[in-house]
Amino acid sequence: MKKIYMGVAVVISSLVVGCSNSSISVNGVEITKEDYEKTFEIILATDDYLDKIPGENIENQIKYFMINNEVVYQVAKENGFTCNEEELKLKYAEIEASINSNSSYKAKIQSIGVNEGYILTEIKKDLVIQKYRNNFEQNINITEEDLKKYYNQNIDKFKFEEVNPSHILISSKYEKGKLIKIAQEILYKINDGESFEKLAIKYSDDRESGKNGGNLGYLKKGDKNIEFSNIAFKLGKGEISNIIETSYGYHIIKLNDRKEYIESFEDSREDIKKFILDEKYKEHVEKLNKNADIKVK
């Protein structure tokens, strides 16, 4: 699921230390304690960001994230990059629909004061940053030799894990209280020894997988929404989850199998290109930071 547009140009690094309780300014523009705390809470509420940030450095990483965004945003504006009202409206509608599709996430971000004005401000900044980044990447020439060299030197990045889960989905045919009650009754039956597969056939509102006992086939991380993937990839073979909620309803997940493999060079081409562009962009942002007046007090 798409979350609030927080930092399209995020560059994660472990270089910044010791600034968790500091005040920051970037070329005279202050990053306030309130700005930091709101960003911190949004990232904590948005599980897919946490995978990118080492837990022991999370405060410093978020500060660095915010500094990078401000530096690039200022440079982008100086170079004439803007966004128009139509772009803002379209992106806001997309983000709003995404937030509304997940009631628990919506409640979390509303509780920390995220409103329409805040979201529009973040979208405007991120659209400008993304245009700047797109322009930067268009001027990068990546050869076939570059691609092969990167693949051979970073083979671990192309090692993947897949899981084969089954699930029973109780979706939004009834009010929320009724849904959770139905899901709990099914989980009781499973724990009492009834066949997961037979219960999926009988009860699952995902009829496509339900007719196969709930089997979803092999999945990579990202093939399903983040809430589902987080649980599926943590289960042991044969293990059954508790009830989890996603924007689709309530799920009970059973892990059938998991496997690892190395993706071929040909199948990795687009990912290799993205990795190279990410590294070059990170280097570029670090140069911008060196030329900026960044004060940490």
Side-chain angles (χ1 to χ4, degrees):
M1 175 192 301
K2 296 184 189 303
K3 308 294 187 182
I4 292 176
Y5 228 48
M6 291 296 299
V8 169
V10 61
V11 180
I12 298 299
S13 169
S14 59
L15 297 176
V16 176
V17 294
C19 62
S20 60
N21 295 312
S22 307
S23 62
I24 300 171
S25 68
V26 178
N27 296 321
V29 176
E30 185 181 4
I31 296 175
T32 67
K33 181 180 179 182
E34 182 182 359
D35 294 334
Y36 166 77
E37 289 177 349
K38 187 169 287 188
T39 302
F40 182 87
E41 292 298 331
I42 289 172
I43 289 177
L44 286 183
T46 309
D47 293 340
D48 38 344
Y49 285 111
L50 295 180
D51 292 338
K52 303 174 185 176
I53 304 176
E56 67 273 15
N57 289 323
I58 188 168
E59 291 186 353
N60 292 333
Q61 297 288 2
I62 292 172
K63 287 278 179 77
Y64 193 62
F65 159 87
M66 296 179 76
I67 290 170
N68 283 335
N69 263 17
E70 185 59 39
V71 169
V72 176
Y73 181 55
Q74 291 180 19
V75 173
K77 288 193 298 179
E78 288 170 5
N79 283 273
F81 292 92
T82 61
C83 68
N84 58 48
E85 287 300 315
E86 186 62 25
E87 290 172 316
L88 275 174
K89 288 179 182 178
L90 286 172
K91 184 55 66 175
Y92 179 79
E94 179 185 341
I95 298 300
E96 183 181 40
S98 180
I99 292 171
N100 287 338
S101 72
N102 188 320
S103 57
S104 60
Y105 179 74
K106 183 177 181 180
K108 284 179 184 178
I109 63 171
Q110 285 181 337
S111 71
I112 54 175
V114 173
N115 53 28
E116 180 178 349
Y118 179 85
I119 295 172
L120 285 171
T121 298
E122 293 303 312
I123 291 172
K124 179 180 179 181
K125 179 177 286 189
D126 283 338
L127 286 173
V128 169
I129 290 171
Q130 187 62 61
K131 289 182 179 182
Y132 178 84
R133 179 169 183 165
N134 289 345
N135 182 72
F136 170 82
E137 291 182 350
Q138 286 171 6
N139 294 303
I140 301 296
N141 179 41
I142 300 175
T143 67
E144 182 74 3
E145 183 180 352
D146 292 332
L147 294 174
K148 289 180 178 177
K149 181 179 179 182
Y150 189 93
Y151 179 79
N152 291 327
Q153 291 182 347
N154 297 275
I155 196 67
D156 283 349
K157 289 187 177 182
F158 306 100
K159 291 180 180 178
F160 293 97
E161 183 180 28
E162 288 187 345
V163 295
N164 172 218
S166 295
H167 80 146
I168 298 171
L169 171 66
I170 307 301
S171 61
S172 54
K173 292 194 299 187
Y174 308 101
E175 62 182 24
K176 190 170 182 178
K178 176 85 170 176
L179 291 177
I180 187 66
K181 185 178 179 181
I182 294 170
Q184 286 170 341
E185 289 172 353
I186 295 170
L187 187 58
Y188 293 149
K189 291 177 184 290
I190 293 169
N191 290 336
D192 281 342
E194 292 193 37
S195 166
F196 185 100
E197 289 71 25
K198 288 180 180 179
L199 290 168
I201 292 169
K202 184 175 181 179
Y203 292 106
S204 182
D205 290 321
D206 180 354
R207 302 314 305 163
E208 188 62 31
S209 70
K211 65 187 180 184
N212 297 315
N215 197 304
L216 293 165
Y218 281 91
L219 305 172
K220 293 180 185 176
K221 274 191 175 179
D223 287 348
K224 286 286 186 181
N225 57 66
I226 189 68
E227 298 92 345
F228 189 98
S229 291
N230 277 347
I231 299 300
F233 275 82
K234 289 177 182 176
L235 293 174
K237 190 172 178 179
E239 187 177 359
I240 295 170
S241 74
N242 289 319
I243 297 164
I244 67 163
E245 181 183 6
T246 75
S247 57
Y248 296 97
Y250 292 97
H251 306 252
I252 302 168
I253 305 171
K254 176 183 178 182
L255 186 67
N256 305 308
D257 192 22
R258 64 172 70 236
K259 63 182 181 181
E260 295 181 350
Y261 67 97
I262 298 176
E263 193 169 71
S264 70
F265 171 74
E266 288 301 327
D267 289 340
S268 302
R269 277 181 174 275
E270 289 305 311
D271 287 333
I272 298 168
K273 184 177 180 181
K274 183 179 182 303
F275 283 134
I276 293 173
L277 289 174
D278 283 348
E279 288 187 3
K280 290 187 178 296
Y281 184 70
K282 177 180 176 179
E283 291 169 1
H284 176 67
V285 173
E286 288 173 350
K287 288 179 182 177
L288 295 180
N289 284 355
K290 288 179 181 178
N291 293 324
D293 181 18
I294 300 171
K295 290 186 172 67
V296 180
K297 300 179 181 178

